[in-house]
């Protein structure tokens, strides 16, 4: 039976310094604190991305568990933020 579980996710880094600056300000982040990060895109960093395999998802599927928290040594959720 296919449960349709996602075990790999991917993303592409935002590489436009103007958009990063706008979003930082909208989130209340002082742009001075991330200036070197922003400068890397101003001076030539190219678009890039990647993917990650969720080991806990693989273990959950392999062991036929119904809750991913059973595969994590220190599970987090809205009620538990620290081990």
């Amino acid at each position: 039976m296919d449960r349709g579980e996602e075990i790999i996710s991917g993303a592409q880094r935002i590489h436009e310094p103007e958009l990063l600056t706008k979003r930082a300000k909208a989130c209340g982040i002082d742009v001075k604190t991330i200036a070197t990060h922003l400068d890397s895109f101003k001076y030539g960093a190219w678009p890039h991305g990647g993917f990650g395999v969720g080991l806990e998802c693989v273990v959950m599927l392999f062991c036929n568990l119904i809750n991913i928290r059973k595969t994590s040594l220190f599970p987090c959720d809205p009620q538990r933020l620290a081990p």
Side-chain angles (χ1 to χ4, degrees), residues 9-65:
S9 62
Q12 180 175 342
R13 182 183 303 262
I14 297 173
H15 58 277
E16 299 171 1
E18 298 82 17
L19 177 57
L20 288 169
T21 301
K22 179 181 173 183
R23 292 295 301 138
K25 288 178 180 178
C27 292
I29 298 171
D30 182 3
V31 179
K32 292 176 190 172
T33 63
I34 59 169
T36 55
H37 180 72
L38 295 172
D39 287 345
S40 69
F41 295 104
K42 288 179 184 175
Y43 301 122
W46 54 88
H48 62 285
F51 72 94
V53 177
L55 182 58
E56 292 168 340
C57 291
V58 173
V59 171
M60 183 182 79
L61 293 171
F62 184 76
C63 295
N64 201 27
L65 300 172

